[in-house]
Amino acid sequence: MLNDDFSGTFGVGFFERLGAERQSGYGDSSLDAVVDSIKRNVSHILNTRIGESQSCPELGLFDFNDASSASVDLGLRMRNGIKACLSRFEPRLTEIDVSVLFDEGNPMNLRFHIYGSIKVASNKDKLKIDLLLDNSRRYRVV
């Protein structure tokens, strides 16, 4: 159960709270606003590498560029890393499942589907996020 101090910011991600003065719609808890906030936060979290944040060194994913595994094994390791990272750093998203899609025509691009549940006010909804790891090794919500 949320306390009164936290319930007003439940629809807002950590990175948005840091820049609250610059964000329009801060504190908006409508379903669309929460989903947009979650997607922005997912992108920020996954594009942060472990050790980059001085205040939270465990925030982010480990660098997969140094991996020497086969692409299928690497895809599964990335899937597990994404799921663990989001489970820890995006509390608005629960029941998280991540699937990896391999593109045989372009093996440099990996796509992921993130499935989960979100609770906004008294409603519980399902959420699907399509994620692309692009050629510049950045995670983009598509």
Side-chain angles (χ1 to χ4, degrees), residues 80-93:
N80 293 338
I82 289 169
K83 183 176 179 178
C85 189
L86 294 180
S87 294
R88 183 159 186 205
F89 296 107
E90 181 46 87
R92 299 171 294 177
L93 193 57

Side-chain angles (χ1 to χ4, degrees), residues 85-106:
C85 189
L86 294 180
S87 294
R88 183 159 186 205
F89 296 107
E90 181 46 87
R92 299 171 294 177
L93 193 57
T94 60
E95 302 170 20
I96 299 170
D97 187 36
V98 179
S99 61
V100 60
L101 306 171
F102 297 100
D103 183 356
E104 308 249 341
N106 190 355

